[in-house]
Amino acid sequence: MVQLSKFIAVAAACLAAPAVAHPGEKHDPHVVKRELHARDYAAAAAKRSLAGCENSLHARELAKRNVARRSQKVQNLRKKRGVTAHPQKWRRDLAALEKWEAINHNQTGILNYSPATPESVVFAANTSCILTPTVTDGPYYVWGEVIRQNVKEDLYSDGVDISLEVQYIDINTCRPVPGALVDIWQANATGVYSGISESGNYAADGWDSTYLRGIQQTDTDGVVNFETIFPGHYDDRATHTHLLTHLNATVFPNKTLEVGSGSVAHIGQLFWNEVLRSAVEDTYPYSTNTQSVTSNADDMWSVKQADSAYDPFPEYIYLGEDLDDGLFAWIQIGINATADYTDNSYYSIAAYHDANGGHENSDSTLSGGSGGSAPSGTNGTAPSGSASGSASPSASV
C-alpha cells in the first residue's frame, strides 16, 4: 500500500534550466527567460481580470455544479473499478513544501483530508483558475488525432490510470468556454511519445502510432474528461502532460479536425508533483524506464513560482487505498478566448495523421516554430484506425 506520506503534493519553483526541452528541441535560454517573464505577467493580469467576476452569481452556481460533477465522477469510477475502500483525499500540504516553495500557496480549506471530509471541501479545490500558455507545445504535436475520451490503447499504454478533468474558464467573463476542442498528448510509462520516429523518440510503430493522444470537446460547463495514464519521464524534462485548445475549429464526420481551421486559444503543460511521481514510478512499467529524471525545479519550462496566479499542478485523489485503484485529477484553466497562438513561434506541428497513417511534417525541424503546411490529403481524411499503440519499453531510451 502506498504510504500516506506519499500523498503530500509538492509544487514547483525556480528557473534553473538547460537549453533542451524534448529530445531534438533547442531554444535560446535568453529567449526562454523572456518568454517565462511574459507568461508570469500574463498570468497576473488574467488573475486580476477574474477577480472582478469570480463572486458573481453564475460563477458561484458553476462552482456548485463542479463539486457535484466531480463527486459523481469519482463515485462512478469507484463503482466501475469495483473499489470499496475509502478514497484517499489529499491536497498539497503547505507545511511540507520545500523552502523555495513556501510562497502563500493554495490556502483554501482543510489541507489534510479524511474519509469524513465533506465533498464540498474536497472537490471545490481547483489549484488555480489560471494556466497561461507555457510557451511551447514541444516538438511532438501531431495534427490528425481523433476525438475520443479514452486515449489508452491495447499496447504501450500500461500504467497508473488517471481520469483527468480539465475545465476552461474565460478570464474576461468567469464563464465556461463551451465547444472548445482540446488536444492531449503525453509520453507513456517508459518516456516515449507515439506518432514520432526521430532520434531520442523512436516509437515502436513509428509515425503510425496514436496511443495516449486524442481530442475532446468541452461541454456547456467548459469541461473535458480524458481517460489516460500518469505520464512517464524522459531526459531533460519534468513529468508533464500537454494540452492544446482550438476554438471554432471544423470537425469532420470521421472525428478529426480540419487543418488550419479555427484558432489556437491555449497551449499548456500540466506538471505533476514530485512525491506523486516518485510513488508512481515505484510501480511497473514505470520502474523499467532508464531515462534520467528531471525535477520540476530543473525543468526549463517549469514555473518560476507556484501561486494563486500561476499553478500548473492538478488536484488529485486516490480512488482507493493505493495507486492500483487509479487516480482522479482535475484542474480549472483560465484562458483568454480571444487569443490566437496559431502564428506563435512556439506552435509547432511535428507530424500529420491521415487515412494513410502518420507523416512527418517536412517543414518542422522538431524544434518549435512554424507549424508548416499540411501534406495533401490530410484535411478530413480518415485516420488509419489502428489501435495498436506504439512505444515498447525497449524503445524508451
Side-chain angles (χ1 to χ4, degrees), residues 57-69:
L57 177 60
H58 66 77
R60 295 196 303 270
E61 290 176 344
L62 177 64
K64 291 180 181 178
R65 293 199 299 274
N66 288 345
V67 171
R69 182 186 62 253

Side-chain angles (χ1 to χ4, degrees), residues 2-9 90 275:
V2 178
Q3 300 301 311
L4 292 183
S5 61
K6 289 190 175 182
F7 300 153
I8 301 173
W90 288 81
V275 178

Side-chain angles (χ1 to χ4, degrees), residues 156-170:
Y156 320 119
S157 296
D158 291 339
V160 173
D161 289 335
I162 291 183
S163 180
L164 175 65
E165 175 191 292
V166 185
Q167 182 176 44
Y168 291 87
I169 303 296
D170 189 332

